[in-house]
Amino acid sequence: ISVETSNIGQFCEFGWYDWVMFCDDPVSFPDAQPVLDRYLGPSIDFGPSMTAKILKQNGEVFCRSTYRCLTDGDITNQAHIASRTRFDS
């Protein structure tokens, strides 16, 4: 038993298959266009802390440390709703 507090944020912040947004192509601010993908869980064996496995729409799985959850505006946006429907079809 350790007296150190473990960081469990990567296990609590997102659930399996939650929607996430991130910038797929390296572009400079403010031209970044985030894309919609799915969170598959923490990538324990790759990258820095909080790196996650992300599922792209084409089925490719990759690791990223910069991603975010959907905002309330994203959830209610008709374009996002259509994208989410296409993603799982």
Side-chain angles (χ1 to χ4, degrees), residues 19-60:
W19 294 109
V20 294
M21 300 287 291
F22 84 102
C23 294
D24 194 16
D25 296 320
V27 294
S28 59
F29 180 83
D31 298 326
Q33 296 295 321
V35 293
L36 183 69
D37 291 308
R38 290 289 201 163
Y39 177 86
L40 295 180
S43 177
I44 298 170
D45 56 347
F46 182 84
S49 124
M50 301 302 286
T51 299
K53 293 180 182 177
I54 306 291
L55 175 67
K56 293 176 72 172
Q57 190 169 1
N58 66 4
E60 181 183 353

Side-chain angles (χ1 to χ4, degrees), residues 19 36 57 78-89:
W19 294 109
L36 183 69
Q57 190 169 1
Q78 291 301 317
H80 273 266
I81 292 170
S83 293
R84 292 193 302 269
T85 302
R86 278 193 311 272
F87 191 99
D88 285 330
S89 60

